[in-house]
Amino acid sequence: RFANEGASVLLAARRPEPLETAADEIVSAVGRDRVAFVPTDASQEDQVVRLISTAIERWGRLDGMFN
């Protein structure tokens, strides 16, 4: 929904397979430039930092996170 309304979307989950599937669906709807994914275990601080850094590096900011 967010991507359809113009947002850039960074997906995160522990396993990469569901991320790839979801990213492919979003890419087919809105294009590749507004979606990315990072396998992330939210219980590991370094992985969360990497996730946030990826959003900032790619799009210049992070406006929100949802679980």
Side-chain angles (χ1 to χ4, degrees):
R1 174 180 176 196
F2 292 106
N4 285 332
E5 294 182 13
S8 297
V9 178
L10 181 61
L11 305 171
R14 285 180 291 184
R15 295 180 314 138
E17 296 83 11
L19 292 173
E20 292 172 3
T21 301
D24 287 344
E25 291 176 14
I26 296 170
V27 165
S28 61
V30 301
R32 186 160 304 279
D33 62 328
R34 293 201 342 247
V35 65
F37 66 89
V38 177
T40 304
D41 180 344
S43 70
Q44 301 298 312
E45 182 178 356
D46 62 319
Q47 293 185 31
V48 175
V49 169
R50 183 187 62 187
L51 175 68
I52 294 168
S53 296
T54 299
I56 294 169
E57 289 169 10
R58 183 152 182 163
W59 296 299
R61 64 186 203 202
L62 174 65
D63 293 327
M65 295 177 73
F66 302 92
N67 184 1

